[in-house]
Amino acid sequence: MIRIDSVWYEYPSGTVALRNVNLVIDRGEIVALMGENGAGKTTLLKHLNGLLKPTSGKVEVDGVDTRTTTVASLSRHVGLVFQNPDNMFFCTSVFEEVSYALTRFGYSREEARRRAEVVLKTFNLWQYRDSSPFTLSGGEKKRLAISIVLAWMPSYVVIDEPTTGLDGWGKRMLINLLLNLKDRERGIILSSHDVEFISEIAARVVLLRRGEIIADGAAEDILTDPVLLEEASLLTPQIPSLLHELKKRGFRDLNHKCLRLDEAVRCLSAILGRPDQGCDGF
Amino acid sequence: MNLAIEVSNLSFRYAGAGQWALKNISLSIEEGEFAVFTGATGCGKSTLFKCLIGLIPQMYPGEYLGRVVVKGLDPAQTPVSRMAQRVGMVFQNPDNQLFALTVENDVAFALENLGLERAEIERRISKAFRMMGIEDLRKRSPFELSGGQKQRVAIASILALEPEILILDEPTSSLDGATAKKLLEELGEIRRREDITVLISEHRLDLVVREATRLIVIEGGQILADGEPREVVHQLLKDGYERVEPPKLSRLAWMLGFRGANSIPVTKEEFVEKLQGVGK
């Protein structure tokens, strides 16, 4: 479990980026840190693998205080994917980029090769294995950055803005993958302002505003609360936004705490007295 | 209506690449349209945009077939600097476009290069800053701005050139939803007020479809669908096309059967209107 205990962080410039943050994240949980640009999401993520150490308070990863160990040894357990993938690449080929960390972590050449092949195939990047990472398109780079970290299956997978640059297919693949990791008892921590993506995936949402946690709870409570979301400068996802509108217009019995498409279909069909399949055009 | 852009049988293959990045594309866009280009990563959207401003074939070697006419000019033959006065392009990553010590100097740079008078430069800068709502950023360094602010500065520096066509390559990819929504509304407003043609590539159709007059889906360097957005989205849903994600409310409308013969709601307001027609 990751325990963030009364953490304050002040950048050398004097900007206070985190204010008394308390958070416990378990394995097998998907947690989305949400808030506008500058709310402190990335600063908080960088505390999880020790890249930043708290100015006061402490962060523990499976009982280890991040101040007492190195980023290299924490990274074995906490894999961090940066928002801009260019910051992660330094090898001459896509394949080496994935196998590098594996060999550093002590996997045999054979095992590193096998794992690199599996993740590159999963992410549909195998055909680029001999290309330079810098020749990939924006979405492909993003996929590569994520696959590098997943290759060593850390206990906690931390992704800063996972959907930037991903197309519809990329997002769906990522959703399936993250749900699968959750089932395999990995802790997943995402920072995002993509409310539609998080609606489809996150069990738990933490809202940050100016370095402070202003809400922490189930996605279906937080992402369906327009007042709270506005406080965090986030848009209300489309489905709850539609359901609120319908309630205002007289569909009073509607359950507005729906986030996913399948849920919305169920609750709207019920209210309209229609079968789940809907009807044909009219 | 006059055509802003006419592309006939355009194909392009980057030097050394096995595959054609664009395959026999034909497309015409009228003046004043807000055309959204969508498609999976790597489908050819950015390559097509580069052809429209002449970066391809002039700066990127490769095999180029077909013909492009933009505002009466052939971008393959016209100096890129001359094209740039008619067609402004904002690239995906604003960092690539910003370089000066202050935001103001960044925007002034291209105008100075055009040899404009100081007073004219001042007029255009003020106007572009007003349009993008960034008057307060004039004296700041572009590198200490947030992602959303940088993107606005990059767009302002192109608007100051007073282009007749504005091309934006995934302008919202690094913006949060509220900022992205505001930016797209502003672009829609600028299009209507200044009567310019806007071309934009975007994955998040939810955000952009409200302003669009036209939706063009590209796959593997070819045009897969092209038309009125509600009709194209209807077509994508009907075909079960998976590479592009239709707006979430359109998917919901489809699953519930709220659709016309060849069109589907794409916004909340349209959805509510359709639903009230049936529900009561």
Short mmCIF file of all heavy atoms in Angstrom, two decimals, chain A residues 37 137 139 164-167 172 193 196 200 233 235 238 241-242 245-246 249 261 264-265 268-269 272 274 276-282, chain B residues 40-41 148 173 175-178 181 203-204 206 242-243 245 248-249 251-252 255-259 268 271-272 274-276 278-280:
data_model
loop_
_atom_site.label_atom_id
_atom_site.label_comp_id
_atom_site.label_asym_id
_atom_site.label_seq_id
_atom_site.Cartn_x
_atom_site.Cartn_y
_atom_site.Cartn_z
N ASN A 37 -4.95 22.03 -14.99
CA ASN A 37 -3.50 22.19 -15.12
C ASN A 37 -3.01 23.02 -13.94
O ASN A 37 -3.58 24.06 -13.63
CB ASN A 37 -3.15 22.93 -16.41
CG ASN A 37 -3.51 22.12 -17.66
OD1 ASN A 37 -3.64 20.91 -17.61
ND2 ASN A 37 -3.68 22.80 -18.77
N SER A 137 4.89 8.23 -34.15
CA SER A 137 3.92 9.32 -34.06
C SER A 137 3.61 9.57 -32.58
O SER A 137 3.99 8.78 -31.71
CB SER A 137 2.63 8.94 -34.79
OG SER A 137 1.88 8.06 -34.00
N GLY A 139 0.89 9.31 -30.69
CA GLY A 139 0.16 8.26 -29.98
C GLY A 139 1.00 7.00 -29.80
O GLY A 139 0.91 6.32 -28.78
N THR A 164 -3.37 11.48 -23.36
CA THR A 164 -2.88 12.51 -24.28
C THR A 164 -2.36 11.86 -25.57
O THR A 164 -1.47 11.01 -25.52
CB THR A 164 -1.70 13.29 -23.63
OG1 THR A 164 -2.07 13.60 -22.32
CG2 THR A 164 -1.37 14.54 -24.41
N GLY A 165 -2.90 12.26 -26.69
CA GLY A 165 -2.40 11.77 -27.98
C GLY A 165 -2.95 10.40 -28.38
O GLY A 165 -2.67 9.93 -29.47
N LEU A 166 -3.72 9.75 -27.51
CA LEU A 166 -4.25 8.43 -27.90
C LEU A 166 -5.55 8.57 -28.68
O LEU A 166 -6.39 9.40 -28.34
CB LEU A 166 -4.52 7.58 -26.66
CG LEU A 166 -3.33 7.03 -25.89
CD1 LEU A 166 -3.82 6.04 -24.83
CD2 LEU A 166 -2.34 6.34 -26.81
N ASP A 167 -5.71 7.74 -29.70
CA ASP A 167 -6.97 7.76 -30.45
C ASP A 167 -7.96 6.79 -29.78
O ASP A 167 -7.66 6.19 -28.74
CB ASP A 167 -6.73 7.40 -31.92
CG ASP A 167 -6.02 6.07 -32.07
OD1 ASP A 167 -6.16 5.21 -31.19
OD2 ASP A 167 -5.34 5.89 -33.09
N ARG A 172 -9.32 2.52 -25.80
CA ARG A 172 -10.03 1.28 -25.43
C ARG A 172 -9.05 0.20 -25.00
O ARG A 172 -9.28 -0.53 -24.05
CB ARG A 172 -10.89 0.80 -26.60
CG ARG A 172 -12.30 1.37 -26.58
CD ARG A 172 -13.21 0.62 -27.52
NE ARG A 172 -12.65 0.54 -28.85
CZ ARG A 172 -12.71 1.53 -29.73
NH1 ARG A 172 -13.32 2.66 -29.43
NH2 ARG A 172 -12.16 1.41 -30.91
N HIS A 193 -7.24 14.86 -16.79
CA HIS A 193 -8.40 15.74 -16.78
C HIS A 193 -9.41 15.26 -17.81
O HIS A 193 -10.35 15.94 -18.14
CB HIS A 193 -8.02 17.22 -17.00
CG HIS A 193 -6.94 17.42 -17.98
ND1 HIS A 193 -5.84 18.19 -17.73
CD2 HIS A 193 -6.78 16.96 -19.21
CE1 HIS A 193 -5.05 18.19 -18.78
NE2 HIS A 193 -5.60 17.45 -19.69
N GLU A 196 -14.11 11.82 -19.51
CA GLU A 196 -14.80 10.72 -20.21
C GLU A 196 -14.04 9.41 -20.04
O GLU A 196 -14.62 8.36 -19.82
CB GLU A 196 -14.96 11.04 -21.71
CG GLU A 196 -15.73 12.31 -22.02
CD GLU A 196 -17.17 12.31 -21.49
OE1 GLU A 196 -17.71 11.24 -21.18
OE2 GLU A 196 -17.73 13.42 -21.38
N GLU A 200 -15.07 5.77 -17.61
CA GLU A 200 -15.16 4.38 -18.07
C GLU A 200 -14.34 3.45 -17.20
O GLU A 200 -14.47 2.24 -17.30
CB GLU A 200 -14.68 4.27 -19.52
CG GLU A 200 -15.53 5.01 -20.54
CD GLU A 200 -16.93 4.40 -20.70
OE1 GLU A 200 -17.05 3.17 -20.59
OE2 GLU A 200 -17.87 5.18 -20.94
N SER A 233 -12.51 22.94 -11.68
CA SER A 233 -12.39 23.36 -13.09
C SER A 233 -12.43 22.19 -14.07
O SER A 233 -11.69 22.15 -15.03
CB SER A 233 -11.09 24.14 -13.31
OG SER A 233 -11.07 25.27 -12.51
N LEU A 235 -14.94 19.64 -16.56
CA LEU A 235 -16.26 19.54 -17.19
C LEU A 235 -17.00 18.35 -16.59
O LEU A 235 -16.39 17.37 -16.23
CB LEU A 235 -16.10 19.27 -18.69
CG LEU A 235 -15.54 20.38 -19.56
CD1 LEU A 235 -15.39 19.85 -20.99
CD2 LEU A 235 -16.45 21.59 -19.55
N GLN A 238 -20.28 13.77 -20.21
CA GLN A 238 -21.47 13.97 -21.02
C GLN A 238 -22.71 13.24 -20.51
O GLN A 238 -23.80 13.78 -20.58
CB GLN A 238 -21.19 13.51 -22.44
CG GLN A 238 -20.05 14.29 -22.98
CD GLN A 238 -20.15 14.42 -24.45
OE1 GLN A 238 -21.22 14.57 -25.00
NE2 GLN A 238 -19.03 14.36 -25.09
N SER A 241 -24.14 14.81 -17.41
CA SER A 241 -24.59 16.13 -17.80
C SER A 241 -25.95 16.03 -18.53
O SER A 241 -26.87 16.81 -18.26
CB SER A 241 -23.51 16.76 -18.69
OG SER A 241 -24.01 17.85 -19.38
N LEU A 242 -26.09 15.05 -19.39
CA LEU A 242 -27.36 14.82 -20.08
C LEU A 242 -28.46 14.43 -19.07
O LEU A 242 -29.58 14.94 -19.12
CB LEU A 242 -27.20 13.70 -21.11
CG LEU A 242 -28.48 13.21 -21.77
CD1 LEU A 242 -28.97 14.21 -22.81
CD2 LEU A 242 -28.31 11.84 -22.40
N GLU A 245 -29.75 17.32 -17.14
CA GLU A 245 -30.60 18.14 -18.00
C GLU A 245 -32.01 17.51 -18.09
O GLU A 245 -33.02 18.21 -17.99
CB GLU A 245 -29.94 18.22 -19.39
CG GLU A 245 -30.67 19.07 -20.40
CD GLU A 245 -30.62 20.54 -20.05
OE1 GLU A 245 -29.60 20.96 -19.47
OE2 GLU A 245 -31.60 21.26 -20.37
N LEU A 246 -32.04 16.20 -18.27
CA LEU A 246 -33.34 15.51 -18.39
C LEU A 246 -34.14 15.60 -17.09
O LEU A 246 -35.35 15.76 -17.11
CB LEU A 246 -33.13 14.05 -18.79
CG LEU A 246 -32.60 13.84 -20.21
CD1 LEU A 246 -32.28 12.37 -20.45
CD2 LEU A 246 -33.61 14.34 -21.25
N ARG A 249 -35.85 18.71 -16.85
CA ARG A 249 -36.97 18.82 -17.77
C ARG A 249 -38.10 17.87 -17.43
O ARG A 249 -38.94 17.57 -18.28
CB ARG A 249 -36.50 18.57 -19.19
CG ARG A 249 -35.52 19.62 -19.62
CD ARG A 249 -35.25 19.50 -21.08
NE ARG A 249 -34.34 20.55 -21.50
CZ ARG A 249 -34.51 21.25 -22.60
NH1 ARG A 249 -35.56 21.04 -23.37
NH2 ARG A 249 -33.63 22.15 -22.94
N LEU A 261 -21.68 4.10 -20.52
CA LEU A 261 -22.71 3.99 -21.55
C LEU A 261 -23.74 2.92 -21.24
O LEU A 261 -24.95 3.17 -21.32
CB LEU A 261 -22.05 3.62 -22.88
CG LEU A 261 -21.76 4.75 -23.85
CD1 LEU A 261 -21.09 4.17 -25.09
CD2 LEU A 261 -23.05 5.47 -24.23
N ALA A 264 -26.15 3.99 -18.65
CA ALA A 264 -27.08 5.02 -19.14
C ALA A 264 -28.16 4.40 -20.01
O ALA A 264 -29.33 4.78 -19.93
CB ALA A 264 -26.31 6.08 -19.90
N VAL A 265 -27.77 3.43 -20.84
CA VAL A 265 -28.76 2.77 -21.69
C VAL A 265 -29.81 2.09 -20.82
O VAL A 265 -31.01 2.23 -21.04
CB VAL A 265 -28.08 1.72 -22.61
CG1 VAL A 265 -29.13 0.85 -23.31
CG2 VAL A 265 -27.19 2.41 -23.63
N LEU A 268 -32.03 4.82 -18.95
CA LEU A 268 -32.93 5.55 -19.86
C LEU A 268 -34.00 4.64 -20.45
O LEU A 268 -35.15 5.04 -20.59
CB LEU A 268 -32.13 6.22 -20.98
CG LEU A 268 -31.50 7.57 -20.61
CD1 LEU A 268 -30.58 8.06 -21.72
CD2 LEU A 268 -32.57 8.61 -20.33
N SER A 269 -33.63 3.39 -20.78
CA SER A 269 -34.65 2.48 -21.33
C SER A 269 -35.73 2.22 -20.30
O SER A 269 -36.91 2.14 -20.64
CB SER A 269 -34.07 1.13 -21.75
OG SER A 269 -32.79 1.25 -22.21
N LEU A 272 -38.10 5.11 -20.12
CA LEU A 272 -38.90 5.31 -21.33
C LEU A 272 -39.76 4.09 -21.63
O LEU A 272 -40.48 4.06 -22.61
CB LEU A 272 -37.98 5.59 -22.52
CG LEU A 272 -37.20 6.90 -22.39
CD1 LEU A 272 -36.07 6.95 -23.40
CD2 LEU A 272 -38.13 8.08 -22.58
N ARG A 274 -38.74 1.20 -22.60
CA ARG A 274 -38.30 0.57 -23.85
C ARG A 274 -37.38 -0.61 -23.53
O ARG A 274 -36.72 -0.62 -22.51
CB ARG A 274 -37.50 1.56 -24.68
CG ARG A 274 -38.37 2.59 -25.30
CD ARG A 274 -37.55 3.76 -25.76
NE ARG A 274 -38.45 4.73 -26.32
CZ ARG A 274 -38.95 4.66 -27.53
NH1 ARG A 274 -38.59 3.67 -28.33
NH2 ARG A 274 -39.78 5.57 -27.98
N ASP A 276 -33.99 -2.83 -23.81
CA ASP A 276 -32.59 -2.39 -23.85
C ASP A 276 -32.08 -2.12 -25.26
O ASP A 276 -31.25 -1.26 -25.46
CB ASP A 276 -31.69 -3.46 -23.21
CG ASP A 276 -31.58 -3.19 -21.72
OD1 ASP A 276 -32.39 -2.40 -21.21
OD2 ASP A 276 -30.70 -3.77 -21.10
N GLN A 277 -32.58 -2.84 -26.19
CA GLN A 277 -32.07 -2.67 -27.55
C GLN A 277 -32.57 -1.37 -28.18
O GLN A 277 -32.14 -0.99 -29.24
CB GLN A 277 -32.52 -3.84 -28.46
CG GLN A 277 -31.72 -5.12 -28.25
CD GLN A 277 -32.02 -5.76 -26.91
OE1 GLN A 277 -33.11 -5.62 -26.37
NE2 GLN A 277 -31.04 -6.45 -26.36
N GLY A 278 -33.50 -0.70 -27.50
CA GLY A 278 -34.05 0.53 -28.08
C GLY A 278 -34.98 0.18 -29.22
O GLY A 278 -35.43 -0.95 -29.36
N CYS A 279 -35.30 1.20 -30.01
CA CYS A 279 -36.18 0.93 -31.13
C CYS A 279 -35.46 1.35 -32.40
O CYS A 279 -34.40 1.92 -32.35
CB CYS A 279 -37.47 1.72 -30.98
SG CYS A 279 -37.17 3.48 -31.01
N ASP A 280 -36.05 1.12 -33.51
CA ASP A 280 -35.44 1.56 -34.76
C ASP A 280 -35.73 3.04 -34.97
O ASP A 280 -36.44 3.64 -34.20
CB ASP A 280 -35.96 0.73 -35.93
CG ASP A 280 -35.15 -0.54 -36.05
OD1 ASP A 280 -33.97 -0.50 -35.63
OD2 ASP A 280 -35.68 -1.55 -36.54
N GLY A 281 -35.17 3.59 -36.00
CA GLY A 281 -35.34 5.02 -36.27
C GLY A 281 -36.82 5.42 -36.34
O GLY A 281 -37.69 4.56 -36.40
N PHE A 282 -37.07 6.68 -36.22
CA PHE A 282 -38.46 7.11 -36.27
C PHE A 282 -38.53 8.34 -37.15
O PHE A 282 -37.52 8.92 -37.49
CB PHE A 282 -39.00 7.40 -34.87
CG PHE A 282 -38.09 8.26 -34.07
CD1 PHE A 282 -38.11 9.65 -34.21
CD2 PHE A 282 -37.16 7.69 -33.20
CE1 PHE A 282 -37.25 10.42 -33.46
CE2 PHE A 282 -36.30 8.49 -32.48
CZ PHE A 282 -36.33 9.86 -32.60
N ALA B 40 -7.35 7.38 -36.82
CA ALA B 40 -6.40 6.83 -35.86
C ALA B 40 -5.05 7.53 -35.98
O ALA B 40 -4.75 8.12 -37.01
CB ALA B 40 -6.24 5.34 -36.12
N THR B 41 -4.24 7.43 -34.92
CA THR B 41 -2.88 7.99 -34.98
C THR B 41 -2.16 7.39 -36.19
O THR B 41 -2.26 6.20 -36.43
CB THR B 41 -2.07 7.57 -33.72
OG1 THR B 41 -2.96 7.12 -32.74
CG2 THR B 41 -1.22 8.66 -33.21
N GLY B 148 -2.21 25.28 -21.75
CA GLY B 148 -3.33 25.96 -22.40
C GLY B 148 -2.94 27.36 -22.85
O GLY B 148 -3.31 27.80 -23.94
N SER B 173 -4.77 18.60 -27.62
CA SER B 173 -4.30 17.35 -27.03
C SER B 173 -3.69 17.53 -25.64
O SER B 173 -3.73 16.63 -24.83
CB SER B 173 -3.32 16.63 -27.96
OG SER B 173 -2.18 17.42 -28.15
N LEU B 175 -4.64 19.98 -23.49
CA LEU B 175 -5.48 20.87 -22.69
C LEU B 175 -6.51 20.10 -21.88
O LEU B 175 -7.01 19.06 -22.32
CB LEU B 175 -6.24 21.84 -23.62
CG LEU B 175 -5.37 22.64 -24.58
CD1 LEU B 175 -6.24 23.62 -25.36
CD2 LEU B 175 -4.29 23.40 -23.84
N ASP B 176 -6.87 20.64 -20.71
CA ASP B 176 -7.95 19.99 -19.97
C ASP B 176 -9.29 20.32 -20.65
O ASP B 176 -9.37 21.22 -21.48
CB ASP B 176 -7.94 20.39 -18.48
CG ASP B 176 -8.12 21.87 -18.25
OD1 ASP B 176 -9.22 22.37 -18.55
OD2 ASP B 176 -7.18 22.52 -17.79
N GLY B 177 -10.30 19.55 -20.31
CA GLY B 177 -11.57 19.63 -21.03
C GLY B 177 -12.17 21.02 -21.07
O GLY B 177 -12.60 21.49 -22.13
N ALA B 178 -12.16 21.71 -19.93
CA ALA B 178 -12.80 23.02 -19.87
C ALA B 178 -12.04 24.01 -20.78
O ALA B 178 -12.65 24.78 -21.53
CB ALA B 178 -12.83 23.52 -18.44
N LYS B 181 -12.61 23.11 -24.49
CA LYS B 181 -13.95 23.48 -24.92
C LYS B 181 -13.99 24.98 -25.23
O LYS B 181 -14.53 25.40 -26.26
CB LYS B 181 -14.94 23.12 -23.82
CG LYS B 181 -16.38 23.37 -24.14
CD LYS B 181 -17.28 22.65 -23.13
CE LYS B 181 -18.73 22.97 -23.38
NZ LYS B 181 -19.24 24.02 -22.50
N HIS B 203 -9.00 14.02 -32.03
CA HIS B 203 -9.51 12.68 -31.67
C HIS B 203 -10.81 12.77 -30.89
O HIS B 203 -11.64 11.89 -30.97
CB HIS B 203 -8.51 11.94 -30.78
CG HIS B 203 -7.27 11.54 -31.48
ND1 HIS B 203 -7.29 10.76 -32.61
CD2 HIS B 203 -5.97 11.80 -31.23
CE1 HIS B 203 -6.06 10.56 -33.02
NE2 HIS B 203 -5.23 11.19 -32.19
N ARG B 204 -10.92 13.83 -30.07
CA ARG B 204 -12.08 13.91 -29.18
C ARG B 204 -13.24 14.58 -29.90
O ARG B 204 -13.44 15.78 -29.80
CB ARG B 204 -11.71 14.66 -27.91
CG ARG B 204 -10.70 13.92 -27.06
CD ARG B 204 -10.47 14.59 -25.74
NE ARG B 204 -9.63 15.77 -25.85
CZ ARG B 204 -9.29 16.55 -24.83
NH1 ARG B 204 -9.74 16.28 -23.63
NH2 ARG B 204 -8.52 17.59 -24.99
N ASP B 206 -16.28 14.51 -29.28
CA ASP B 206 -17.22 15.10 -28.33
C ASP B 206 -17.07 16.61 -28.27
O ASP B 206 -18.03 17.35 -28.19
CB ASP B 206 -16.91 14.58 -26.92
CG ASP B 206 -17.28 13.12 -26.75
OD1 ASP B 206 -18.40 12.78 -27.12
OD2 ASP B 206 -16.45 12.34 -26.27
N GLU B 242 -14.52 1.15 -35.69
CA GLU B 242 -13.97 1.19 -34.34
C GLU B 242 -12.79 2.11 -34.14
O GLU B 242 -12.44 2.44 -33.02
CB GLU B 242 -13.57 -0.22 -33.93
CG GLU B 242 -14.75 -1.15 -33.79
CD GLU B 242 -14.63 -2.03 -32.58
OE1 GLU B 242 -13.53 -2.57 -32.38
OE2 GLU B 242 -15.64 -2.17 -31.85
N ARG B 243 -12.14 2.52 -35.23
CA ARG B 243 -10.90 3.28 -35.04
C ARG B 243 -11.17 4.71 -34.57
O ARG B 243 -10.29 5.36 -34.04
CB ARG B 243 -10.07 3.33 -36.34
CG ARG B 243 -9.63 1.98 -36.85
CD ARG B 243 -8.71 1.24 -35.90
NE ARG B 243 -7.50 1.97 -35.58
CZ ARG B 243 -6.30 1.43 -35.49
NH1 ARG B 243 -6.12 0.17 -35.74
NH2 ARG B 243 -5.26 2.15 -35.14
N GLU B 245 -13.69 7.25 -32.31
CA GLU B 245 -14.71 7.16 -31.27
C GLU B 245 -15.77 8.23 -31.50
O GLU B 245 -15.48 9.42 -31.36
CB GLU B 245 -14.04 7.35 -29.93
CG GLU B 245 -14.88 6.87 -28.80
CD GLU B 245 -14.04 6.75 -27.53
OE1 GLU B 245 -13.47 7.75 -27.10
OE2 GLU B 245 -13.96 5.63 -27.00
N LYS B 248 -19.89 10.47 -27.24
CA LYS B 248 -20.51 9.50 -26.34
C LYS B 248 -22.04 9.58 -26.42
O LYS B 248 -22.72 8.56 -26.41
CB LYS B 248 -20.06 9.78 -24.92
CG LYS B 248 -19.93 8.53 -24.10
CD LYS B 248 -19.36 8.87 -22.75
CE LYS B 248 -18.29 7.87 -22.38
NZ LYS B 248 -17.67 8.19 -21.10
N LEU B 249 -22.56 10.80 -26.51
CA LEU B 249 -24.02 10.92 -26.56
C LEU B 249 -24.58 10.38 -27.87
O LEU B 249 -25.71 9.89 -27.91
CB LEU B 249 -24.45 12.38 -26.35
CG LEU B 249 -24.17 12.93 -24.96
CD1 LEU B 249 -24.74 14.33 -24.82
CD2 LEU B 249 -24.72 12.01 -23.87
N ARG B 251 -23.33 7.78 -29.33
CA ARG B 251 -23.36 6.32 -29.12
C ARG B 251 -24.57 5.94 -28.28
O ARG B 251 -25.23 4.93 -28.54
CB ARG B 251 -22.07 5.86 -28.44
CG ARG B 251 -20.90 5.83 -29.42
CD ARG B 251 -19.73 5.09 -28.83
NE ARG B 251 -19.00 5.95 -27.93
CZ ARG B 251 -18.20 5.51 -26.97
NH1 ARG B 251 -18.06 4.22 -26.74
NH2 ARG B 251 -17.56 6.37 -26.21
N LEU B 252 -24.85 6.76 -27.27
CA LEU B 252 -26.01 6.49 -26.42
C LEU B 252 -27.30 6.58 -27.25
O LEU B 252 -28.18 5.71 -27.16
CB LEU B 252 -26.03 7.49 -25.25
CG LEU B 252 -27.16 7.37 -24.24
CD1 LEU B 252 -27.17 5.98 -23.59
CD2 LEU B 252 -27.03 8.44 -23.16
N MET B 255 -27.66 3.50 -29.32
CA MET B 255 -28.05 2.30 -28.58
C MET B 255 -29.51 2.36 -28.16
O MET B 255 -30.17 1.33 -28.02
CB MET B 255 -27.14 2.13 -27.35
CG MET B 255 -25.72 1.75 -27.75
SD MET B 255 -24.52 2.05 -26.44
CE MET B 255 -24.52 0.50 -25.61
N LEU B 256 -30.02 3.57 -27.97
CA LEU B 256 -31.43 3.71 -27.57
C LEU B 256 -32.36 3.82 -28.77
O LEU B 256 -33.57 3.86 -28.62
CB LEU B 256 -31.59 4.95 -26.70
CG LEU B 256 -31.02 4.87 -25.29
CD1 LEU B 256 -30.90 6.25 -24.68
CD2 LEU B 256 -31.89 3.98 -24.41
N GLY B 257 -31.78 3.91 -29.95
CA GLY B 257 -32.60 4.01 -31.15
C GLY B 257 -33.08 5.41 -31.46
O GLY B 257 -33.99 5.59 -32.28
N PHE B 258 -32.50 6.42 -30.82
CA PHE B 258 -32.90 7.81 -31.12
C PHE B 258 -32.10 8.33 -32.29
O PHE B 258 -31.04 8.93 -32.12
CB PHE B 258 -32.64 8.74 -29.92
CG PHE B 258 -33.41 8.36 -28.70
CD1 PHE B 258 -33.00 8.82 -27.46
CD2 PHE B 258 -34.55 7.57 -28.79
CE1 PHE B 258 -33.70 8.48 -26.32
CE2 PHE B 258 -35.25 7.23 -27.65
CZ PHE B 258 -34.83 7.68 -26.42
N ARG B 259 -32.59 8.12 -33.48
CA ARG B 259 -31.85 8.58 -34.63
C ARG B 259 -32.80 8.78 -35.79
O ARG B 259 -33.92 8.27 -35.79
CB ARG B 259 -30.77 7.57 -35.00
CG ARG B 259 -31.30 6.15 -35.14
CD ARG B 259 -30.19 5.19 -35.44
NE ARG B 259 -30.69 3.85 -35.68
CZ ARG B 259 -30.56 2.84 -34.84
NH1 ARG B 259 -29.97 3.01 -33.67
NH2 ARG B 259 -31.01 1.65 -35.14
N LYS B 268 -25.72 17.48 -26.48
CA LYS B 268 -26.72 17.26 -25.44
C LYS B 268 -28.07 17.87 -25.85
O LYS B 268 -29.11 17.24 -25.70
CB LYS B 268 -26.20 17.92 -24.14
CG LYS B 268 -27.10 17.74 -22.96
CD LYS B 268 -26.39 18.21 -21.69
CE LYS B 268 -26.48 19.71 -21.53
NZ LYS B 268 -25.87 20.20 -20.29
N PHE B 271 -29.81 15.83 -28.37
CA PHE B 271 -30.28 14.58 -27.77
C PHE B 271 -31.59 14.81 -27.02
O PHE B 271 -32.57 14.07 -27.18
CB PHE B 271 -29.20 14.05 -26.82
CG PHE B 271 -29.46 12.65 -26.33
CD1 PHE B 271 -28.69 11.60 -26.79
CD2 PHE B 271 -30.47 12.38 -25.41
CE1 PHE B 271 -28.92 10.31 -26.34
CE2 PHE B 271 -30.71 11.10 -24.96
CZ PHE B 271 -29.92 10.06 -25.43
N VAL B 272 -31.60 15.88 -26.21
CA VAL B 272 -32.79 16.17 -25.40
C VAL B 272 -33.99 16.42 -26.32
O VAL B 272 -35.09 15.92 -26.08
CB VAL B 272 -32.54 17.39 -24.48
CG1 VAL B 272 -33.83 17.86 -23.83
CG2 VAL B 272 -31.50 17.04 -23.43
N LYS B 274 -34.53 15.27 -29.37
CA LYS B 274 -34.97 13.99 -29.94
C LYS B 274 -35.78 13.20 -28.91
O LYS B 274 -36.83 12.66 -29.20
CB LYS B 274 -33.77 13.13 -30.31
CG LYS B 274 -33.29 13.27 -31.75
CD LYS B 274 -34.16 12.50 -32.70
CE LYS B 274 -33.53 12.49 -34.09
NZ LYS B 274 -34.55 12.47 -35.15
N LEU B 275 -35.23 13.17 -27.68
CA LEU B 275 -35.84 12.37 -26.63
C LEU B 275 -37.23 12.89 -26.28
O LEU B 275 -38.16 12.13 -26.06
CB LEU B 275 -34.94 12.41 -25.39
CG LEU B 275 -35.39 11.56 -24.22
CD1 LEU B 275 -35.25 10.10 -24.58
CD2 LEU B 275 -34.57 11.86 -23.00
N GLN B 276 -37.37 14.22 -26.24
CA GLN B 276 -38.67 14.78 -25.88
C GLN B 276 -39.71 14.49 -26.96
O GLN B 276 -40.89 14.35 -26.66
CB GLN B 276 -38.54 16.29 -25.63
CG GLN B 276 -37.88 16.52 -24.29
CD GLN B 276 -37.92 17.95 -23.85
OE1 GLN B 276 -37.82 18.84 -24.69
NE2 GLN B 276 -38.05 18.18 -22.58
N VAL B 278 -39.99 11.69 -28.37
CA VAL B 278 -40.47 10.33 -28.17
C VAL B 278 -41.03 10.10 -26.79
O VAL B 278 -42.01 9.40 -26.61
CB VAL B 278 -39.31 9.29 -28.28
CG1 VAL B 278 -39.81 8.03 -28.92
CG2 VAL B 278 -38.11 9.88 -28.94
N GLY B 279 -40.35 10.71 -25.77
CA GLY B 279 -40.57 10.30 -24.38
C GLY B 279 -41.88 10.75 -23.80
O GLY B 279 -42.29 10.24 -22.77
N LYS B 280 -42.52 11.74 -24.40
CA LYS B 280 -43.68 12.29 -23.72
C LYS B 280 -44.96 12.13 -24.52
O LYS B 280 -44.90 11.98 -25.72
CB LYS B 280 -43.46 13.76 -23.45
CG LYS B 280 -42.43 13.94 -22.36
CD LYS B 280 -42.34 15.39 -21.93
CE LYS B 280 -41.49 15.50 -20.67
NZ LYS B 280 -41.21 16.88 -20.34
#
